[in-house]
Amino acid sequence: MGRARSAHASGAGGVRPAVDAVVGLGGNLGETAATLSAARRALCGIAQTTLVAASSLYRTAPIGGQRQPDYLNAVCRLQTTLTPEGLADALFAIERRLGRVRTGVRNEPRAIDIDLLYYEGVVREGPALSLPHPRLQERAFVLYPWVEIMPDFRIPGLGALADLGQAVRDQRVERLDRHW
Protein backbone atom coordinates (compact mmCIF):
# COMPACT_ATOMS: atom_id res chain seq x y z
CA MET A 1 0.00 0.00 0.00
CA GLY A 2 2.70 2.46 0.93
CA ARG A 3 6.21 2.86 -0.32
CA ALA A 4 8.97 0.97 1.43
CA ARG A 5 11.34 3.15 3.40
CA SER A 6 14.76 2.42 4.80
CA ALA A 7 15.44 2.07 8.50
CA HIS A 8 17.37 4.83 10.24
CA ALA A 9 20.26 4.72 12.64
CA SER A 10 19.41 4.54 16.29
CA GLY A 11 22.50 5.52 18.27
CA ALA A 12 25.64 3.40 18.69
CA GLY A 13 25.56 2.49 15.00
CA GLY A 14 22.45 0.35 15.43
CA VAL A 15 19.35 0.34 13.29
CA ARG A 16 15.96 0.87 14.89
CA PRO A 17 13.69 -2.01 13.86
CA ALA A 18 10.41 -1.20 12.19
CA VAL A 19 7.41 -1.38 14.53
CA ASP A 20 3.65 -1.34 14.07
CA ALA A 21 1.82 1.92 14.64
CA VAL A 22 -1.89 2.58 14.24
CA VAL A 23 -3.38 5.96 13.41
CA GLY A 24 -6.97 7.15 13.37
CA LEU A 25 -8.24 9.60 10.77
CA GLY A 26 -11.43 11.60 11.11
CA GLY A 27 -13.23 14.76 10.17
CA ASN A 28 -16.66 16.30 9.70
CA LEU A 29 -16.18 19.66 7.93
CA GLY A 30 -15.78 20.36 4.23
CA GLU A 31 -15.12 17.63 1.68
CA THR A 32 -14.34 15.07 4.38
CA ALA A 33 -13.90 11.99 2.19
CA ALA A 34 -11.48 13.85 -0.08
CA THR A 35 -9.57 15.22 2.92
CA LEU A 36 -9.26 11.76 4.48
CA SER A 37 -8.09 10.35 1.16
CA ALA A 38 -5.45 13.09 0.95
CA ALA A 39 -4.37 12.28 4.51
CA ARG A 40 -4.05 8.58 3.65
CA ARG A 41 -1.89 9.43 0.63
CA ALA A 42 0.22 11.74 2.81
CA LEU A 43 0.88 8.87 5.24
CA CYS A 44 2.72 7.16 2.35
CA GLY A 45 5.07 10.14 2.20
CA ILE A 46 6.23 9.98 5.81
CA ALA A 47 9.96 9.18 5.93
CA GLN A 48 10.91 5.73 7.24
CA THR A 49 7.26 4.71 7.27
CA THR A 50 5.14 2.34 5.19
CA LEU A 51 1.35 2.24 5.00
CA VAL A 52 0.44 -1.43 5.57
CA ALA A 53 -3.36 -1.35 5.67
CA ALA A 54 -6.28 1.07 5.63
CA SER A 55 -9.79 0.36 6.86
CA SER A 56 -12.98 1.27 5.08
CA LEU A 57 -14.48 4.68 5.73
CA TYR A 58 -17.08 4.78 8.50
CA ARG A 59 -19.82 7.33 9.16
CA THR A 60 -20.10 7.90 12.90
CA ALA A 61 -22.05 10.03 15.31
CA PRO A 62 -20.22 12.96 16.92
CA ILE A 63 -18.98 12.56 20.50
CA GLY A 64 -19.41 15.20 23.16
CA GLY A 65 -23.01 16.32 22.96
CA GLN A 66 -22.67 19.42 20.79
CA ARG A 67 -24.72 19.54 17.57
CA GLN A 68 -22.49 19.03 14.56
CA PRO A 69 -22.35 16.97 11.36
CA ASP A 70 -21.56 13.26 11.43
CA TYR A 71 -17.91 12.28 11.12
CA LEU A 72 -16.13 10.11 8.62
CA ASN A 73 -13.45 7.95 10.23
CA ALA A 74 -10.86 5.35 9.25
CA VAL A 75 -7.86 3.60 10.79
CA CYS A 76 -4.50 2.93 9.14
CA ARG A 77 -1.75 0.52 10.13
CA LEU A 78 1.81 1.68 9.56
CA GLN A 79 5.28 0.19 9.90
CA THR A 80 7.82 2.79 10.98
CA THR A 81 11.31 3.26 12.29
CA LEU A 82 10.48 6.75 13.56
CA THR A 83 10.18 7.33 17.29
CA PRO A 84 6.66 7.88 18.64
CA GLU A 85 7.40 11.61 18.88
CA GLY A 86 8.80 11.70 15.34
CA LEU A 87 5.73 9.96 13.98
CA ALA A 88 3.37 12.22 15.96
CA ASP A 89 5.18 15.28 14.58
CA ALA A 90 4.77 13.94 11.04
CA LEU A 91 1.04 13.39 11.65
CA PHE A 92 0.62 16.94 13.00
CA ALA A 93 2.42 18.27 9.90
CA ILE A 94 -0.06 16.44 7.65
CA GLU A 95 -2.95 17.92 9.64
CA ARG A 96 -1.52 21.42 9.22
CA ARG A 97 -1.02 20.91 5.46
CA LEU A 98 -4.66 19.85 5.20
CA GLY A 99 -5.90 22.95 7.06
CA ARG A 100 -6.23 21.81 10.67
CA VAL A 101 -5.87 24.48 13.31
CA ARG A 102 -5.70 23.02 16.83
CA THR A 103 -7.66 25.23 19.21
CA GLY A 104 -7.47 23.02 22.28
CA VAL A 105 -11.25 22.53 22.34
CA ARG A 106 -12.12 18.85 22.64
CA ASN A 107 -14.60 17.19 20.29
CA GLU A 108 -15.09 20.29 18.16
CA PRO A 109 -15.96 20.01 14.45
CA ARG A 110 -12.86 19.76 12.24
CA ALA A 111 -11.80 19.13 8.68
CA ILE A 112 -9.15 16.60 9.72
CA ASP A 113 -7.93 14.87 12.85
CA ILE A 114 -5.08 12.37 12.82
CA ASP A 115 -4.30 10.59 16.08
CA LEU A 116 -1.51 8.18 16.93
CA LEU A 117 -3.54 5.44 18.61
CA TYR A 118 -0.90 2.77 19.18
CA TYR A 119 2.86 2.43 18.86
CA GLU A 120 4.26 -1.08 19.34
CA GLY A 121 5.99 -1.61 22.66
CA VAL A 122 5.15 1.81 24.11
CA VAL A 123 2.77 2.35 27.02
CA ARG A 124 2.95 5.77 28.65
CA GLU A 125 1.04 8.83 29.73
CA GLY A 126 2.32 12.31 29.06
CA PRO A 127 1.15 15.84 28.41
CA ALA A 128 2.09 15.75 24.71
CA LEU A 129 1.64 12.06 23.86
CA SER A 130 -0.06 9.17 25.64
CA LEU A 131 0.06 5.65 24.25
CA PRO A 132 -2.11 3.78 23.68
CA HIS A 133 -4.33 6.78 22.97
CA PRO A 134 -6.51 7.60 25.99
CA ARG A 135 -10.23 6.82 25.64
CA LEU A 136 -9.79 4.71 22.49
CA GLN A 137 -11.63 1.86 24.22
CA GLU A 138 -14.67 4.15 24.55
CA ARG A 139 -14.85 5.04 20.86
CA ALA A 140 -16.60 2.90 18.28
CA PHE A 141 -15.23 5.19 15.55
CA VAL A 142 -11.75 3.90 16.45
CA LEU A 143 -12.51 0.29 17.37
CA TYR A 144 -14.71 -0.77 14.43
CA PRO A 145 -12.29 0.28 11.66
CA TRP A 146 -9.32 -1.05 13.65
CA VAL A 147 -10.96 -4.47 14.06
CA GLU A 148 -11.54 -4.51 10.30
CA ILE A 149 -7.80 -4.38 9.52
CA MET A 150 -6.44 -6.18 12.63
CA PRO A 151 -9.25 -8.51 13.82
CA ASP A 152 -7.20 -10.53 16.32
CA PHE A 153 -5.24 -7.63 17.81
CA ARG A 154 -5.00 -7.11 21.57
CA ILE A 155 -4.17 -3.70 23.01
CA PRO A 156 -1.76 -4.02 25.94
CA GLY A 157 -3.59 -3.34 29.18
CA LEU A 158 -7.01 -3.13 27.48
CA GLY A 159 -7.65 -6.46 25.78
CA ALA A 160 -8.93 -7.72 22.44
CA LEU A 161 -10.22 -5.12 19.98
CA ALA A 162 -13.28 -7.23 19.18
CA ASP A 163 -14.23 -7.44 22.87
CA LEU A 164 -13.73 -3.70 23.33
CA GLY A 165 -15.96 -3.08 20.32
CA GLN A 166 -18.80 -4.97 22.00
CA ALA A 167 -18.75 -2.49 24.87
CA VAL A 168 -19.49 0.42 22.49
CA ARG A 169 -22.00 -1.27 20.20
CA ASP A 170 -24.65 1.30 21.16
CA GLN A 171 -22.69 4.04 19.32
CA ARG A 172 -23.86 4.69 15.75
CA VAL A 173 -21.31 3.43 13.21
CA GLU A 174 -21.95 2.75 9.52
CA ARG A 175 -19.34 1.14 7.29
CA LEU A 176 -19.07 2.94 3.95
CA ASP A 177 -16.57 2.72 1.11
CA ARG A 178 -13.70 0.23 1.22
CA HIS A 179 -11.91 2.00 -1.65
CA TRP A 180 -11.37 5.59 -0.66
Side-chain angles (χ1 to χ4, degrees), residues 41-63:
R41 286 190 308 274
L43 293 174
C44 295
I46 298 174
Q48 300 154 4
T49 301
T50 302
L51 176 61
V52 176
S55 74
S56 300
L57 283 181
Y58 288 76
R59 178 178 292 119
T60 62
I63 301 280

Side-chain angles (χ1 to χ4, degrees), residues 101-178:
V101 176
R102 289 187 172 265
T103 65
V105 176
R106 234 187 219 176
N107 302 321
E108 69 181 342
R110 62 200 65 167
I112 185 69
D113 185 34
I114 307 175
D115 287 325
L116 180 54
L117 303 172
Y118 169 80
Y119 186 98
E120 186 178 347
V122 177
V123 176
R124 71 166 182 223
E125 290 184 37
L129 184 60
S130 293
L131 292 165
H133 191 282
R135 300 173 308 281
L136 69 83
Q137 72 275 14
E138 302 166 5
R139 310 258 164 108
F141 66 82
V142 167
L143 296 170
Y144 281 51
W146 195 347
V147 165
E148 179 189 335
I149 62 172
M150 299 174 77
D152 299 321
F153 190 72
R154 298 183 66 80
I155 301 170
L158 295 175
L161 285 176
D163 293 341
L164 295 169
Q166 288 302 311
V168 295
R169 66 181 176 268
D170 60 324
Q171 295 177 23
R172 186 170 48 83
V173 177
E174 176 189 1
R175 184 176 171 178
L176 301 174
D177 193 0
R178 177 71 185 131

